[in-house]
Amino acid sequence: MSVPVTEAVNPITKNVDVASPLEIVSLLHKCDKEIFEGWNEYKSLYDEEVLATLDKIITVAASIIENAASGLIVLSGCGTSGRIAFLTARTFNAKLSELSRTPCFKYLIAGRDKALFTSQEAPEDDPVCGVEMLKEITDGKTKVLFIGITCGLSAPYVGGQLQYCMENLGVFTPVVLGFNPTHLARNNPIEKWESTFLQVINKMEEMKSSSNVFILNPVVGPEPITGSSRMKSGSATKVLLETIFTGAILSAKSGDRPWQTKSFIQSYQVVCNNLYNAKGSMEAVAQIVELAGNSLKSNGSIYYVGEGTLGIMGMIDASECPPTYGASLSDVRGFLDRGYKSFRNNDGDLSSLGLHFQISFNDMIKDILPHVKPFDVVIYITSDGNVDQRMTKCLCKKALISFAPKSSTVISTDVEVNMSLPKEALISLIGETAFQQFSMLFEEISTKWILNAITTGTHVMKGKVFQNMMVDLKVSNNKLFHRAIGIIQRFSELSLEDSKDCLLRSIYNTDNLSEEIRERPISCHIEAATPLSQVVPRALLSAILSCSVSESQRLLDKEPVIQKVISQTLSGVNQ
Ligand code: S6P
C-alpha cells in the first residue's frame, strides 16, 4: 500500500532530532522551498493543469463576489485547514468591505470555533455533522462556491460536504483542495458513511470534465515533521486560497487582473527564498528557538503577542502545539490586541469557556504578566515595529519579530528579527498597487514560516521528536489511529495486523487481546485512547522489545524523553 505524500518521511529532516537550533531552522527553510520547487514527478503549484484550474475557480469566485446577495463562498476544513479557512474568510471579507462591496465569505471548521484555539479531533471524522453545518450556513443561497480543504485528502467532515455539493450542483460548485495525488486519497471505511474519501474523489474525477467540479491537488512534498500538515501544506493552502481570492476580487472590480496567476504564486516563492536574506536573521530565529526551547525544558511558557493578522498567526501556531506535540495548553499561547473584537470569529466572544479562550492583551496583562517566570519567553510580532508599551512590562526573556527596520524598534529585547519583504521583486511580479494592497499577506506567510520554525525547533529540543517523527501523538481520530499503526510498523518491522494488535494492547493496557476488543469499531478504540498518555511509545517499545505493556511503561517511566528511550532501544541499550 503506498503512503500518501503528506504522510511520507522527508529525507531532508531525517536527523532533525540531533540538529542544533541553527541547523533546525535551516533544514525547515529547505523544506519550505520545496513547496514551490515541487516534488518528484508529481504536479507542482506551477503545473499547467493547476494554473488552469485556479483560473476557472477565480472566474466562479469573481461572479459570486459580483452577486453577493444570492451567492456565498464557503471555505471549510479541520484543524489547521479550518483555521486557514477562518483567516482567509476574515481577510477577504475585510477587503470587500474596504471596496464597499458585500462581504460574501464564510468559514466552517470541524468542532466549531472552539477548534480555532484547541484541537477538536473527533468532529473531523464526522461527515454527517459536516453536511449539517454546511446546510445551516448556506440556507437560502442560490450560488455557492465551496472549497473543502483537506491536505491529506482524508477528512470525512470535508468528504461528506463535497458529496453533498455534488448531489446539489444546481447551487454548489465544489472544489477539493489538498496535497496528495488523487489515487493516494484515504480509502479507509468511515463509520456513519457509505463512502471512503477516495470514492468521493473518484466521483469528482468523473464529474470534473462535464460539470463545475474542481480538484486542486498539487504536490508540495512530505512534511518536515512527518504528517504535520500544519507546516508545508498549511502554507500552500494559504498561498492557493489567496491567489484565488486576490484574483477574484480584482477581476470583479475591473474585469481584469494586472498579473498572471503564476506570477502571484511566484511572489510567495520570492518571499520564501528571501526570508532569511537579511544578515543574521536566520541566526536570530535560531536564538529564539534556543531561548524558547530552554524555557519549555524548564517548564516555562512561550507567549506570542501581536496585532491584527500577525497576532492571529501567533494564535494559530500556538493552537497547533497540543495536537502536534502533546504540549499543554499553557506551554504556548497567543494574545491578540483587542481580543475577540479584532478576531471576528463566527461565534463571538468565547472567553467564558475558560482561561485558554481568553486572548486579549488585557487578559494577558491581568493573568499572565504579573506571574511570568524569568525564563518564560514573550515574542512580540509586529508589522511596523510598534509594541503596546503595557505588554512590555514583564521580567522574562523577550524577542521581537518585526517587518520594520531595527532603528524603529522602541523596546529592548533579548533577540530581534528584522524581516523585510523583497519589494522590488514583488512589484515587478504583481505591480505597485497590488503590492500596496496585499503586502500584508506576504508578512503573514513570512510570520507563519518563522513561528512554525520556532515551535517545531523548541519541541525538537524538548526531545519530542524521534528522527523526524512525532511518536508520542494522541490517538484521537481516524487519521491519527492509522498514523500510529504506521509508526509502529515502520520501526518494529511487524506486519500491519501485528502492529495494530500492539497498539490495541497499549490502549487497553493488556497483554492478552481478546477477539471482542479486536472487533470493536475504530471509533471505540479512539474513544478509549484519547484520554491516555504515551499510548504509541508504549506500543512501540513493546513491539521492538517483544515485551509486555507494563515493561515498556516501566522503561518510559525511567526516561521521560521519548526520543532517548526509542533511540536507546533501537540501538539495543535496553536489551
Ligand atoms: C496538522 C494539524 C491537524 C490537521 C487536521 C486536518 O498538523 O495538527 O489539525 O490540520 O487534522 O488535516 P487535513 O489533512 O484534513 O487538512
Side-chain angles (χ1 to χ4, degrees), residues 75-115:
L75 311 175
S76 175
C78 312
T80 302
S81 298
R83 295 177 196 124
I84 305 274
F86 153 71
L87 180 72
T88 311
R90 182 187 179 282
T91 296
F92 287 94
N93 278 338
K95 277 275 168 245
L96 289 177
S97 297
E98 271 170 37
L99 298 167
S100 308
R101 282 182 173 268
T102 312
C104 62
F105 287 84
K106 288 208 170 159
Y107 69 91
L108 287 175
I109 180 164
R112 299 189 186 260
D113 279 2
K114 258 170 105 172

Side-chain angles (χ1 to χ4, degrees), residues 547-562:
C547 69
S548 66
V549 174
S550 52
E551 172 61 10
S552 62
Q553 186 61 56
R554 194 189 61 77
L555 291 172
L556 286 166
D557 291 342
K558 240 175 40 185
E559 171 55 77
V561 177
I562 311 283

